[in-house]
Amino acid sequence: MTGAPWSSGTARVADGALAVAGVDLRALAAQHGTPAYVLDEADFRARARAFRAAFTAAFTAIGTDVDVYYAGKAFLSVAVARWAHEEGLRVDTATGGELAVALRAGVPGADIGLHGNNKSDAEIGRALEAGVGRLIVDSLGEVERIAAAVRERRGDPAPVMVRVTTGVHAGGHEYISTAHEDQKFGLSLVPGPDGEPSPALAALRAVLARPELRLLGLHSHIGSQILDPSGFEVAARKVLRLRAELAVQTGYLVPEVDLGGGYGIAYLPGDVPLDPDRIAKDMAAAVEAACVELGTALPRISVEPGRAIVGPTTCTLYTVGTVKPVTLDDGRVRTYVSVDGGMSDNLRPALYGAHYHAELASRTSTAPVVLCRVVGKHCESGDIVVHEVQLPADVAPGDLLAVPATGAYGRSMASNYNQVPRPPVVAVTGGESRVLVRRETEDDLLALDQG
């Protein structure tokens, strides 16, 4: 087995069991237990390098520089942050906790960005103390709050970018589309009534008026799990027009533009993910054409892939428990296959209706396939891991089941619902495994309960 939606190191061994990076998943389950997130380190590093190489080549060809930030919200641990930085990526964080992980990994502050639509004073202060390379302003009120924090510390001007909403609606679900007007992120490009400047332009001018701040650039993020690159090109042109408008009004041409991330991956067999080379070339062409049309110099560009790097690297390994055939209203039979995890380790099916694939990991089977739904152990009817999948009719308690493409937003959205401890993240490489994030225990849960 090779290719999407599995990591590049996933294959069937001679007797039909699944292995990742040379590690038999039966042995991994015996050593580390289930459920477990199994992360292919070499695959992660290769995807990070591929994005770095593709964007560097495309933007060097048009005569400008580019930075690739790993979007840590997809999944961040100390090792993963370190790997990303070792492969030439910077790290994008969205909270003080993610910032702490990146700093613990040894990522220099200058190579870290901090996002957030509601940053606390403590988060802003921590970012300034760490010397982050960019603070992304998400509201007009945040301009003065950051400026006040700089004054209090008597530090150098803070490098800030202003996040704008371009009106480009892209992504796989309303909840992960982040550039339409009716949502919480960023500042609109739409002018106010009676000729008032747009909120985005007002924020940019406010930053320029603060000596405590240095306007580094503009930021745009249009959504997530995007499979059509045209949205990025439309958004890029809108952001570059705003950049040119600001330069006409103030004489200041911002040096950088961040075009976000959200590149889609394969979740099911047959899905076609966005190719880094194609995205990079299309975006570079759009940026070049817009700057020529506007008569402005090319900015330095940055992008923020997260899911596209870590998503395909990981599968979640479960042990099958109850197997229950259920007759549907139309007479068909669907077999409910219960596993020892569920919505506490992968919330996306319940939250977004996201679809995943599953296969037997401990053996192969010659039994005919039947319609199955893989469900979790939680006290919710919506606790679905895989809505619909064909599995062998002899699937039975004790079998191992693997669900691919769970590297993004699996562990990072995991919870302790029903007081279930969260699974470990186990990295595999070169036939060896090691725990990156250990399994939680009941003692961990009880330690937080003060009675």
Side-chain angles (χ1 to χ4, degrees):
M1 175 186 307
T2 57
W6 300 91
S7 79
S8 60
T10 305
R12 293 265 178 201
V13 296
D15 62 359
L18 274 179
V20 181
V23 177
D24 189 313
L25 292 186
R26 294 168 300 188
L28 188 142
Q31 181 178 357
H32 300 289
T34 61
Y37 303 105
V38 183
L39 195 165
D40 185 337
E41 178 182 345
D43 192 57
F44 179 95
R45 289 180 177 273
R47 292 177 191 278
R49 287 195 300 272
F51 269 92
R52 178 70 180 137
F55 277 86
T56 298
F59 282 91
T60 297
I62 66 169
T64 193
D65 295 319
V66 67
D67 298 303
V68 179
Y69 282 75
Y70 171 65
K73 67 173 186 168
F75 171 66
L76 198 65
S77 72
V78 169
V80 162
R82 187 182 303 123
W83 297 345
H85 197 252
E86 287 172 351
E87 299 301 340
L89 274 57
R90 300 184 182 193
V91 178
D92 176 64
T93 64
T95 64
E98 290 180 1
L99 175 59
V101 172
L103 292 171
R104 174 67 64 86
V107 181
D111 288 343
I112 299 173
L114 179 66
H115 272 282
N117 70 296
N118 188 31
K119 303 177 191 70
S120 68
D121 290 341
E123 287 172 327
I124 291 170
R126 179 72 182 278
L128 293 174
E129 289 165 10
V132 298
R134 55 209 270 183
L135 273 160
I136 291 83
V137 170
D138 206 272
S139 63
L140 188 57
E142 201 171 73
V143 175
E144 178 52 38
R145 290 180 58 226
I146 297 173
V150 174
R151 283 197 302 272
E152 181 182 338
R153 287 162 178 77
R154 299 181 181 179
D156 294 331
V160 301
M161 304 185 88
V162 173
R163 179 167 177 171
V164 302
T165 53
T166 60
V168 178
H169 190 153
H173 189 281
E174 178 186 355
Y175 291 174
I176 55 177
S177 300
T178 56
H180 53 290
E181 299 296 336
D182 188 11
Q183 49 89 39
K184 70 178 186 177
F185 292 110
L187 291 143
S188 174
L189 298 179
V190 178
D194 303 320
E196 296 172 2
S198 69
L201 193 56
L204 290 164
R205 296 184 70 132
V207 171
L208 288 173
R210 300 298 198 281
E212 303 90 348
L213 306 179
R214 174 167 59 90
L215 182 55
L216 183 64
L218 292 162
H219 184 284
S220 166
H221 184 78
I222 63 172
S224 195
Q225 186 53 15
I226 299 165
L227 295 170
D228 180 358
S230 62
F232 297 110
E233 299 163 30
V234 175
R237 286 193 291 272
K238 289 191 172 190
V239 173
L240 290 166
R241 278 199 295 271
L242 175 62
R243 175 176 177 255
E245 181 183 355
L246 181 69
V248 169
Q249 292 188 12
T250 67
Y252 183 71
L253 186 68
V254 300
E256 297 193 23
V257 169
D258 188 300
L259 297 175
Y263 315 124
I265 67 169
Y267 281 102
L268 303 175
D271 284 353
V272 179
L274 279 184
D275 175 64
D277 288 319
R278 178 191 173 194
I279 305 166
K281 289 176 181 175
D282 287 353
M283 289 175 67
V287 167
E288 182 180 36
C291 287
V292 169
E293 178 184 335
L294 294 164
T296 55
L298 289 163
R300 186 183 187 97
I301 295 294
S302 50
V303 293
E304 299 171 356
R307 178 202 313 261
I309 293 174
V310 75
T313 69
T314 301
C315 67
T316 305
L317 186 63
Y318 300 102
T319 299
V320 173
T322 300
V323 178
K324 182 191 298 184
V326 174
T327 301
L328 307 180
D329 291 341
D330 60 6
R332 293 182 303 154
V333 174
R334 174 183 285 140
T335 300
Y336 277 71
V337 179
S338 298
V339 295
D340 54 350
M343 63 191 300
S344 61
D345 59 72
N346 190 354
L347 185 60
R348 294 185 72 253
L351 185 62
Y352 303 140
H355 292 280
Y356 285 84
H357 179 60
E359 293 192 19
L360 281 179
S362 49
R363 62 184 177 91
T364 54
S365 172
T366 57
V369 295
V370 295
L371 178 67
C372 294
R373 173 166 288 172
V374 180
V375 295
K377 63 182 292 177
H378 297 285
C379 195
E380 295 286 342
S381 296
D383 179 25
I384 298 170
V385 178
V386 181
H387 287 85
E388 195 165 280
V389 65
Q390 301 287 332
L391 291 173
D394 61 355
V395 62
D399 281 332
L400 294 178
L401 209 63
V403 175
T406 57
Y409 306 105
R411 180 59 173 80
S412 62
M413 285 186 174
S415 75
N416 295 125
Y417 181 48
N418 289 152
Q419 298 295 335
V420 172
R422 287 176 292 183
V425 180
V426 182
V428 289
T429 186
E432 302 289 337
S433 68
R434 70 181 181 98
V435 174
L436 300 186
V437 181
R438 71 166 174 81
R439 183 184 302 280
E440 287 181 335
T441 66
E442 290 179 357
D443 286 341
D444 291 325
L445 302 183
L446 292 171
L448 299 175
D449 192 330
Q450 300 300 296

